[in-house]
Amino acid sequence: MRNVFLVATLALVLFSPVLRAGDYRFSHNGRPAYPKIYPVEGQRMGAPAAGDLAVVFGFAFVLGEPGHYQLRFDPTHASRLLARIDQGPEHCLVIHTARTEIDGKIEFVNPLLEMTAEEKSRLRGLRFDLDPVDWARSLAGIDWSHCALELRNIDFPLPELPDKIRYLRLAPTQPQEDHGFARLQPLTALRYLYVQVVHAPFPISSIPANSPLVNLEIDGTTISDSGALGDLGTLRFLKLRRVEGVDSLDWAAALEGLRVLKVDHTGVSDLQPVLKLPNLRLLSVNATKVASLPSPEAFPALRDFRLHSTPAAEDTEALAPYRPAMSVSVRDWEKAVEKFAWQDYKFGTRDAILFVGSSNIGRWDLAKFFPDLNTRNRGLGGSELSDALIHYDKLVLPNQPRAILLNAGEDDIANGETAVQVVADWKKFAERTRKKLPAAHLAYLPMKPSLERWNLWPEMKKANEAIARLSRDDPHLHYLDTTTPMIGKDEKPRQELFAENGLDLSEPGYAAWTAVVNAWLESLPK
C-alpha cells in the first residue's frame, strides 16, 4: 500500500527549512526534516514555541513542548504520520484522509474511524482531501486546543466546523455557488487561518472579529471587503499574496500589533497607512505599485524590507537611507532558488562544501577547480548578502554542509549600503549558521578590490577588516584572505586577475582564490 500523495509532497521535505532553533529539532527516519513554522503563540518568526504551527511533508500540526520530533510514516498506513518526541512513546501525530491506492485500487480511507478516544486526543493535525466520510463521528474526541484542521482539494461547501477550533487551513478547489464561509463566524477561538480560494471571492467579514486571530494568510483569491481586515485587531502576522481587491493599506493603521506584513503581488501603491506601526519588523511589498518611499525613520522597528519588482526598487537614492538600518531586498530570486531546491532534491548529499554568494561564486567552475571535492554552488549573480539571509534555509540547509564559503557584500556596497550594514548581515548569517548547523565551519571570502569598483574599495575594506576581527575568537568562523594576492606592487588590483569588464574574475583570478580555499580546506579537521 502506498499513499498516492507522497510523491507529490516529498519535495517539501527537502525544500523546506531545517529547524534547529531553540530546543526544537525534527528528523524523518534519522535524517533532518525541514518544517516551515508559522508563529501563533511564539512572538516572532525563527523562534518557535509551543502552540505554533508546523508544516512538513504537506502535513500541518501544532507544536507541543520543545524536544526532538522523530517522524516517520506508519508502514501499514501511509496516511498516518507518527512521532516520537525525545524518548517518549511513539504516537500518531497527523492523519490524512484521502484517496489512497490499496492493492492497485483507489479507495477513500478515513483512519479516524478506527482510532480510540485516547489516540484521537493526542492528534496534532488532521487533513481531509475530498468529501469527508462520517464527518461528525470522525471529529468526535479531538482536542482542538492543540490540533489543526486542514481541508484541501475539497469539492464541497464547508461543513459545520468545531466552534473551539484554533488552527484552520482551507483550500477549496472547485467552483461553488456557496462555499459556506459563513460557517467561520462561530469560530471565536480561531488563532491561525490560511485560505486559498481559486474560483470565488473570500469575504473577510466571515472571519469573526472577536476571535484572537494572530496569523492570517490569504493566497490567490479576491476579496471585496479589505477594509474589514482592520477589525482583526489581534493580528501580528498577515500575508496577502496574489490577492485582488487589495489596493490600499488604509486598514493597516488599526493593526498596531503587526510584526510581519506581506502584501506581495497586490495593487498596493501607498505605504503611508503603515507608517509608525510600532512593532512592524518585516514589510514585504514585492510586485506592487509602490513607487515612493518615506523616510526610514517612519518605520521605527523595521528590520527587513522587501520590494523587488516595484518602481521603488529602482530608486537607489531613496533606498540608500534604509540600508544602514535594515536588510533590503530588491531582486526576485524565487525561481533561481527553487531551481537550486530541485537540484538538492534530485542530487543533494550531506557534508557538502557549499559556496554561497553573488556572481563571484555563481561564475566559479567548482567542478574544474575542485575536481576531487563534494562541492555545491549556490551563487546568485547580482545578489546581496541580505538575499542570502532571506533564502538561507533553501540555499544552505538541504545539503547539511560541513563547510560554507560565503562571498557577498560587493553588490550591497555598490547599491548604497555601508560597511556597517554588510557586517550586520554577516553577523546574522553567522548566527543562523551557528544555530542551525553548529558543526559547520563558515568561511568568509572578502569583498575583492576590483578595477571597476576601485572607488568603493575603502568602504569594502572596512567591512572586510571588521569581519576578520569578528572571526578570530570562534573556531568555526574563518576569514580567508583572498584580497592580498589580488593587489599588485603598485597597490592596485592586478589586471590579469579580472575579465574584460574589470569586475568579474578571470581564470587566473579564480586560480588565486582556489589556492587560498584549498589551503584552508586542508587545515580543517577531517
Side-chain angles (χ1 to χ4, degrees), residues 132-207:
V133 176
D134 294 321
W135 177 255
R137 189 157 66 97
S138 297
L139 302 188
I142 302 296
D143 185 345
W144 295 111
S145 68
H146 61 228
C147 187
L149 175 63
E150 181 165 13
L151 301 177
R152 182 169 287 275
N153 304 323
I154 56 178
D155 55 4
F156 56 90
L158 292 182
E160 184 174 353
L161 298 168
D163 58 8
K164 294 183 179 180
I165 197 166
R166 296 184 182 183
Y167 306 84
L168 182 61
R169 292 169 64 87
L170 302 175
T173 57
Q174 299 298 322
Q176 302 282 335
E177 291 185 8
D178 180 9
H179 278 282
F181 291 128
R183 293 190 180 276
L184 297 178
Q185 273 293 320
L187 308 186
T188 55
L190 202 59
R191 302 276 286 162
Y192 166 90
L193 177 63
Y194 169 87
V195 179
Q196 184 181 45
V197 188
V198 178
H199 300 285
F202 175 74
I204 298 298
S205 56
S206 66
I207 303 173

Side-chain angles (χ1 to χ4, degrees), residues 218-229:
I218 302 177
D219 190 3
T221 188
T222 300
I223 58 178
S224 58
D225 56 347
S226 62
L229 288 165

Side-chain angles (χ1 to χ4, degrees), residues 19-138:
L19 180 68
R20 298 186 66 179
D23 295 319
Y24 285 94
R25 282 198 304 131
F26 298 86
S27 62
H28 174 243
N29 290 339
R31 297 186 62 185
Y34 312 130
K36 184 172 183 178
I37 305 298
Y38 296 86
V40 179
E41 299 299 333
Q43 295 301 306
R44 61 186 179 88
M45 298 173 66
D52 287 351
L53 191 77
V55 179
V56 67
F57 315 126
F59 283 20
F61 62 93
V62 179
L63 289 180
E65 293 303 311
H68 180 191
Y69 285 62
Q70 301 154 76
L71 309 174
R72 71 183 183 102
F73 287 105
D74 187 334
T76 64
H77 210 310
S79 60
R80 295 162 55 100
L81 182 64
L82 308 179
R84 172 178 285 111
I85 303 173
D86 292 331
Q87 302 304 314
E90 187 176 62
H91 66 280
C92 184
L93 188 74
V94 188
I95 287 290
H96 179 197
T97 66
R99 294 192 185 279
T100 303
E101 183 178 341
I102 302 177
D103 299 329
K105 298 180 180 180
I106 302 298
E107 299 182 13
F108 186 84
V109 176
N110 185 354
L112 288 167
L113 301 178
E114 305 168 3
M115 298 182 73
T116 67
E118 181 180 355
E119 288 175 323
K120 280 188 173 183
S121 69
R122 302 190 67 183
L123 286 173
R124 292 277 172 171
L126 299 177
R127 173 174 167 174
F128 283 89
D129 285 17
L130 307 175
D131 191 7
V133 176
D134 294 321
W135 177 255
R137 189 157 66 97
S138 297

Side-chain angles (χ1 to χ4, degrees), residues 455-505:
N455 62 310
L456 301 178
W457 175 238
E459 193 68 16
M460 294 181 184
K461 187 177 180 182
K462 288 180 187 177
N464 288 344
E465 291 173 346
I467 293 171
R469 288 193 299 271
L470 292 168
S471 301
R472 289 172 186 164
D473 297 328
D474 189 326
H476 283 82
L477 296 180
H478 310 266
Y479 178 90
L480 307 189
D481 183 10
T482 52
T483 61
T484 298
M486 303 192 73
I487 299 293
K489 294 180 179 180
D490 59 356
E491 297 186 353
K492 292 185 179 180
R494 294 167 54 191
Q495 188 169 355
E496 71 273 17
L497 300 184
F498 293 89
E500 292 184 4
N501 62 10
L503 177 63
D504 297 324
L505 291 172

Side-chain angles (χ1 to χ4, degrees), residues 353 355 361-378 507 510 514 518:
I353 298 169
F355 289 71
I361 298 296
R363 293 167 56 87
W364 203 339
D365 188 343
L366 300 182
K368 176 179 179 180
F369 284 96
F370 303 95
D372 299 324
L373 297 178
N374 175 24
T375 59
R376 290 291 182 273
N377 191 318
R378 295 298 175 260
E507 186 159 322
Y510 279 117
T514 300
N518 271 330

